[in-house]
Amino acid sequence: MLQIASFYFLIGVVMGMGMSMTESYGLSPVHVHLNLIGWVSMAIGGLVYDRFPSAARTLGKVHFWMHNVGVPLMMGGLAAYILGFAALAPLIPVGGILIVLGTLVFFINMVKNVHTVKEVQADPSAANHTVG
């Protein structure tokens, strides 16, 4: 999950640089959303799933796929719409709905599966776990 988050970050940074170099900021909404829901949200999810492996199972996989199908659909549709391809605008709500549902799955997963004390008791090495 951290790898795909890093990919979204790379795309967002390159977009930002491109907009700055051309002084054309029309795609700013795409840039901002890629950085927030692509980079930040996925990186947080990846760190949570790394720290709490029980959360990375079924619900974590559902969240991952809903989010990573939704982000390209929503951002692709938004970019196309901004660039004048209105026929692709329906991708925006389709992707958005997937992201919202994926976020709901993430929330349910956190409530059901993220319990610090239980996780440490089940895996004593988790108490000193660091991401490498």
Side-chain angles (χ1 to χ4, degrees):
M1 190 172 273
L2 291 172
Q3 291 87 351
I4 192 84
S6 298
F7 180 69
Y8 288 130
F9 184 44
L10 176 64
I11 293 170
V13 167
V14 170
M15 283 186 73
M17 183 181 72
M19 288 187 300
S20 293
M21 291 172 66
T22 62
E23 296 184 10
S24 175
Y25 301 99
L27 290 174
S28 290
V30 178
H31 162 75
V32 170
H33 280 85
L34 277 173
N35 282 316
L36 180 61
I37 60 176
W39 162 236
V40 176
S41 296
M42 291 307 294
I44 290 170
L47 292 171
V48 168
Y49 294 146
D50 183 66
R51 174 65 177 86
F52 300 97
S54 61
R57 295 186 183 115
T58 303
L59 289 176
K61 290 175 183 164
V62 170
H63 164 236
F64 174 87
W65 284 110
M66 291 182 91
H67 203 94
N68 284 297
V69 171
V71 169
L73 287 176
M74 183 178 167
M75 294 304 95
L78 182 57
Y81 180 76
I82 291 169
L83 295 173
F85 299 96
L88 295 175
L91 293 175
I92 302 168
V94 170
I97 289 167
L98 286 170
I99 293 166
V100 169
L101 291 175
T103 303
L104 177 62
V105 169
F106 180 76
F107 171 74
I108 292 167
N109 194 8
M110 295 304 97
V111 171
K112 286 181 67 175
N113 293 309
V114 174
H115 305 287
T116 306
V117 174
K118 289 181 184 178
E119 196 80 29
V120 171
Q121 288 173 346
D123 180 7
S125 67
N128 299 318
H129 183 76
T130 58
V131 179

